[in-house]
Amino acid sequence: MNGGRGIRQLHRWISMLFVLTVLANFAAMAFGPPPPLITYAPLLPLALLVLTGLYLFVLPYRAKRTAQRPAETA
């Protein structure tokens, strides 16, 4: 499996987890102030989304730079 494809799939799954934690946060707010565990639950998936998103953002530029590099001669 290609590294970019694996990261992209991981990014998608983490985004679904993030959406679920945000929805749980809003659902808990309907019943009063939510406990800190629910309030801060979206932060870990959000941090992982930032890291994987930055990697996916840089990936095409890195591939372009590698393609432009001249081949080494023996």
Side-chain angles (χ1 to χ4, degrees), residues 8-26:
R8 186 171 287 113
Q9 188 68 28
L10 180 66
H11 186 78
R12 288 177 184 156
W13 280 104
I14 294 171
S15 67
M16 287 187 260
L17 178 64
F18 175 71
V19 168
L20 289 175
T21 57
V22 170
L23 289 175
N25 200 344
F26 280 109

Side-chain angles (χ1 to χ4, degrees), residues 34-62:
L37 179 66
I38 294 177
T39 302
Y40 296 119
L43 293 179
L44 178 62
L46 182 61
L48 292 173
L49 278 173
V50 168
L51 292 175
T52 56
L54 286 173
Y55 176 78
L56 290 171
F57 179 77
V58 170
L59 200 58
Y61 298 106
R62 196 174 116 205

